[in-house]
Amino acid sequence: MHTALKQLSKWAVLCVVLLLLGISSNAQTSKIDELLAQLKPNDPDTVQIKILKKLSTAYSSVDPIKKFYYANQYRLLGEKNGIDSTIANGYLDMGISYGIRSNLDSALYYFKIGQEIAKASKYESGLGRSYVNIGYIYDRSDRKKEAVNCYEEALKIFRKIDHKRGINQCITNLGSIYFDLKEYKSADNYFEQVLENLLKNPTGDLSLGSAYYSLGGSKRRLGQQKLAMDFYLKSLAIREKIGDLNGIALSNWGIAQLHIENKLYSKALPLLEIALRNNRTLKNIYQECSVLITLAEAYIGLKDYQKAEEAGKLALVRAKQTDAKIPISLALDMLSKVSAAKKDYEAALKYKSEYLAVNDSLENDSTTKQVILTDLHRVNIDNKNLEKRNETISAKITDYVITISIITALLLLVVILLILYYKRNAEKKIANALLQEQKHQIAEVNEELGALNEELRTQMEIVSAQNTELEKLNNVKNKFFSIVSHDLRAPIHSLKALFGLYRSGIVNEEEFGNLLERLEETVYNTASFLDNLLEWSKSQLGGIVITPVEVNLSMIINHNIKLMESQINLKKINVHNNVDEKLVVFSDLNMVHVVIRNILSNAIKFCNKEDKVIFNATTNNDQVTFTITDTGPGISPLDLDNLFNLTHTPGTGTSGEKGHHIGLILCRDMVMQNKGSLSVESKLGEGTTFYITLPTKPIEG
């Protein structure tokens, strides 16, 4: 849970990020009323644009829909008057309106329009602002590498135009990336730098309040609780002064978390109520979810398990409304803790299993985060390499200048010799001889340069081939570990949790047996998946030797039907083998077994009781096409498109069996290695047909 809480704290930082991109959370109605009174239709367009911009900003924390309306109004006036900067800012504020409401796709759409307009009109401030906004969307979407690239591009622009607020914002964003990577010391250094910049060159209370809050978060993670409380209190004082509802909620939430860490649960409750009330006013379901989880934790500390469960369940509802993994994972983990505290161990195990399933995909994101760190180091290394290359090029240029100077001097000498030619014939012969010698030397130099160029080209081709091979091996490794982490961790952790409950005496032998039966099918399914995974990894790494022989297809099918007879009888599935008993294919025997066994197993897994599975085959020239057709529920178009995609989440069978795409990917690879092809057709409600084509005799090449 602590991992997810740390990531959710990152979201709090990102909420502040969005605020600093042009959002002021001043909720004072009098401010809005004053601006509305100033807005007059007869005023010049430039005056109306100025007021409309302020209204859009003022409505940010009160009504995001009205923020969109006023942003669109001043954008239209900008188009009417041909003011590109106003148009770009209008689109960016419209995107922010969607960002506040967590509609990330729409927000990204408007941010990119604003970016294109700013780029075309060379409006650098707007271009930098667009990069920061787009980076925020990428960060929220777990596209960390792209987010870092956007922040770095924005930082270049803001430094170029000396935009101090933009510079501080980019530094804060990069610090929040390190915060998300649990590099709290590095994040703290970034936040300290922002605070130092703001104290030297103030850019407003909103920025200062945000800086104090960010430092409160990093100090708390570093265990410096007194400093964290000081920064949180400073942040709260500033935000209460300017009426920043979102900031007030965040600061109270941070202080409440400090109280809970010190077991001062009663002191945390009123602060959490303030945070909860403000977030509901702003319709910020992300923050409402995080506050509810913290509230449940406080009630557990007070042993009020009923209220803790109510808060946890409401947090799960809000988490699912966000359609994001982190809050769902947090809510499930908290409900597991509440159930365990209530001694409802079956519910605790259920919530824990769901939590592990969701959190497993979050753990896989560590690979992406390491890529970001590598990429940041790569940027520094590339810069150093560029500096060395520049030094080398400068040295070569100097050599070229010297060479040109020498050649120029020689040409001048030739001119002098030509002039003297008319005077002295003897001197002409000497000059000609000298010229021939110089030409010979130049030719030798040219030959040496040509040889060096050829050698360099050869070395580049070798390096390119090595890089291609390394990239291929790295991709195989990444696929292998991604699959192992995703599909083996959850069942292992479930068994570990179950054995821990049994060993601690929380559940008796009868309860232990009942729970173990529920996990038995998961273990069998995981074992089958592991067999397929090892076969696939061997094939990807070149560890399988293909030995094609003449294989009787009908016998292989009958053998595998017999192997799965218990599963077939259990579901009362009708399996028919219509393949000619004399039909032969020329393929690797073991691979044909694996392909038929996997596809038949999938058909049984996803079919309902009394469905049919039918094997047929036809011969065309030197190839046999055999089909495996089932009358099951079929596959949706989305799942069909991603059937051979490792990143796609597989479904479950009709009896709750877990599906694994690795089996189908292994089948496709093995069929292709045997000079064949594999395809699939399916319609929802009608069933699925797999088409496998294999040669009947050896194929050259």
Side-chain angles (χ1 to χ4, degrees), residues 20 80 188 199 241 255 264 289 329 381 403 416 508 613:
L20 293 177
K80 174 184 174 183
D188 188 67
L199 294 176
K241 171 186 170 185
I255 296 170
L264 303 174
C289 173
S329 170
I381 293 171
T403 303
I416 294 172
N508 56 35
V613 179

Side-chain angles (χ1 to χ4, degrees), residues 635-647:
I635 305 171
S636 68
L638 175 60
D639 288 337
L640 196 61
D641 290 339
N642 291 279
L643 202 59
F644 300 102
N645 185 351
L646 284 173
T647 61

